[in-house]
Amino acid sequence: MSQEPRAVRDLVATVRRTIQERGLFKGGERTLLAVSGGPDSLAMLHVFARLAPQYDLDLHIAHFDHRLREGSGADAAFVARQAAALGLPATVRAAEETAPVPGRSPEETARDRRQSFLQEVAEGIGAVRIATAHTMDDQTETILMRMLFGTGPRGLGGITPLRWWYVRPLIDARREQTVAFCRALRLRPRIDPTNADPAFRRNVIRNETIPFLTSTLNAGLTESIARLGDILRDEDHYLHGLALSQAPPEPNPGGGSRLPVEAIRRLPVPIQRRAIRYLFSVEGYEAGAAQTEAVRRLVVSDKTSGSVDLAGPLSARLEYGFLVVSRAPSPAGSATPVELAVPGETDLPPWGARARTWISAEHPARLPDGIRECVVDADRVALPLRVRRWRSGDRFRPLGMSRQKKVGDFFTDQKVSRTLRGEVPMVVDGDGSICWVVGHRIDDRVKVSARTTRFLWIEFEGE
């Protein structure tokens, strides 16, 4: 058997070394290869066809046609033929929608749809790895772009070779290697003309900025920046673990996540920022430097309350010695009151809950705690019952107390944050008097007694 061309052997050796040194595979994994049909992904496909027996990999090909340019259907057909020629199964799908999602750029929308497709296919076939064909050149472009338009230490780490189930086996290979590989095997990869369009930032960096810097300042620029990414990624991983060990987030009883303010204040400033960013990430939010710093300054100030609005529905706020990140609740009184069916069941959309009521003549063996369920004297309640939000100035007489109290003061005693008070349902009767502060306590005037003959039960299910 004749020896394969040197360009083929070189790329196979580079990928093999990356797999071993970066621990991309343990052996025996079912792996989904994301193949666009371009030189990089086509080379990856043929490299894996050679390496699969060594690592006992079960390969499956995936191609997503975004339908954003003329000729994309031909790319999909090309990938299907390549997979068939290698005897590999393939899933090829065209996008149902081409318009960008509101608030997302066309590039971001395309990436989101492609990733959703890849993850759906991977789950469907039981793949534990998704391999993409990012090269060292892609890594350098990514890091340079982030440098120019703003990022932090984590962003300067660039593309992670192994993240969750994504692996980048070509991350140590140059783009010129993939082109030479395809040429040596007489493969004719598809060429995406949008890669030359200067309207895209990455193309300007790829086709103008990097060639200029390489020719005038540093011929080894690509390798230098990729090496910097490896170093910063390792250091970021270590510092992230340090921040997590010193200030681990915990669930907030009112929803979201929280950190003790004093735990954050004891940390050095760089670790403070990391702890706060990780708290954001627990709630699915990617924070920018300005917002992170605004929250950090709030935490280290002398203030005991205050908040910073984050993008979307989230807010960061100080509550009873904690920094809390959660959804910003609706303001007090913003929801239309909902009348309860007595007896019966009633959906409560503003609270994502359902209420169930019934009347019994039997004295309860136990009295509920008033959290999700309560029982009151039906003859002390004027129908109809309604559920509404707390309003400033509300008063009631908490069970066991002899005098009325402002609900706001009651919330303060119960350590219910001001921002969450508007979310608490209030069950009021036909006179507008509060019968039950749901999740907390009933009003003393409606409590059951030895003379009670009809018992009204109210139960909340859901949030």
Side-chain angles (χ1 to χ4, degrees), residues 375-429:
V375 59
V376 301
D377 189 326
D379 294 320
R380 291 174 176 256
V381 173
L383 297 180
L385 293 182
R386 293 183 175 87
V387 180
R388 63 167 173 80
R389 297 193 191 278
W390 165 70
R391 297 170 182 168
S392 180
D394 274 343
R395 289 177 174 272
F396 85 129
R397 183 153 59 104
L399 180 65
M401 296 188 66
S402 59
R403 295 181 180 179
Q404 279 201 335
K405 190 183 190 87
K406 283 187 176 181
V407 176
D409 293 339
F410 174 77
F411 282 151
T412 299
D413 295 342
Q414 298 295 310
K415 298 191 184 304
V416 178
S417 71
R418 294 182 182 276
T419 51
L420 292 178
R421 295 176 185 184
E423 294 292 309
V424 177
M426 304 280 162
V427 177
V428 300
D429 66 10

Side-chain angles (χ1 to χ4, degrees), residues 152-418:
R154 177 164 298 177
L156 292 177
I159 303 168
T160 306
L162 171 60
R163 188 181 187 193
W164 302 320
W165 50 6
Y166 283 96
V167 292
R168 279 81 183 203
L170 269 63
I171 201 67
D172 297 314
R174 295 296 307 273
R175 187 172 291 133
E176 62 193 34
Q177 287 182 269
T178 67
V179 172
F181 178 98
C182 291
R183 185 182 302 117
L185 292 180
R186 298 183 179 179
L187 301 172
R188 301 182 65 181
R190 305 292 296 180
I191 302 301
D192 183 352
T194 62
N195 287 336
D197 187 348
F200 298 103
R201 290 174 173 177
R202 181 178 287 272
N203 291 343
V204 174
I205 291 173
R206 173 183 298 168
N207 300 322
E208 299 178 26
T209 306
I210 291 178
F212 173 77
L213 294 174
T214 301
S215 63
T216 60
L217 296 175
N218 182 1
L221 179 76
T222 297
E223 290 82 359
S224 296
I225 292 181
R227 186 163 53 248
L228 172 66
D230 282 341
I231 293 170
L232 291 177
R233 195 166 50 250
D234 288 343
E235 292 186 357
D236 177 77
H237 181 73
Y238 169 76
L239 292 173
H240 171 74
L242 181 62
L244 191 57
S245 67
Q246 297 294 315
E250 60 186 64
N252 183 54
S257 302
R258 69 183 189 180
L259 281 173
V261 168
E262 286 306 316
I264 303 174
R265 289 174 176 171
R266 287 195 297 265
L267 299 173
V269 171
I271 308 302
Q272 288 178 349
R273 295 191 183 106
R274 288 176 175 273
I276 292 169
R277 282 201 304 271
Y278 184 70
L279 182 64
F280 291 155
S281 72
V282 170
E283 293 302 310
Y285 178 66
E286 288 288 336
Q291 287 180 316
T292 300
E293 189 61 16
V295 173
R296 191 191 72 81
R297 289 183 180 276
L298 174 64
V299 169
V300 300
S301 70
D302 295 331
K303 296 179 180 179
T304 57
S305 64
S307 65
V308 175
D309 289 332
L310 306 177
L314 292 177
S315 71
R317 57 191 179 275
L318 300 182
E319 291 180 0
Y320 302 106
F322 287 91
L323 171 64
V324 176
V325 174
S326 70
R327 293 178 62 88
S330 303
S334 63
T336 302
V338 179
E339 185 171 323
L340 294 182
V342 180
E345 295 187 359
T346 308
D347 287 327
L348 302 169
W351 296 273
R354 167 174 284 213
R356 188 164 71 95
T357 67
W358 67 98
I359 296 177
S360 171
E362 183 178 351
H363 199 289
R366 61 167 186 83
L367 294 178
D369 59 11
I371 305 299
R372 293 284 185 179
E373 183 182 49
C374 77
V375 59
V376 301
D377 189 326
D379 294 320
R380 291 174 176 256
V381 173
L383 297 180
L385 293 182
R386 293 183 175 87
V387 180
R388 63 167 173 80
R389 297 193 191 278
W390 165 70
R391 297 170 182 168
S392 180
D394 274 343
R395 289 177 174 272
F396 85 129
R397 183 153 59 104
L399 180 65
M401 296 188 66
S402 59
R403 295 181 180 179
Q404 279 201 335
K405 190 183 190 87
K406 283 187 176 181
V407 176
D409 293 339
F410 174 77
F411 282 151
T412 299
D413 295 342
Q414 298 295 310
K415 298 191 184 304
V416 178
S417 71
R418 294 182 182 276

Side-chain angles (χ1 to χ4, degrees), residues 33 35-39 41-47 49-50 59-63 74-92 181-182 185-190:
L33 302 180
V35 180
S36 67
S41 66
L42 185 60
M44 180 180 72
L45 169 59
H46 284 266
V47 166
R50 288 159 170 77
L59 303 179
H60 190 106
I61 313 307
H63 174 89
D75 294 349
F78 172 79
V79 171
R81 290 195 301 272
Q82 288 290 316
L86 293 170
L88 296 173
T91 300
V92 177
F181 178 98
C182 291
L185 292 180
R186 298 183 179 179
L187 301 172
R188 301 182 65 181
R190 305 292 296 180

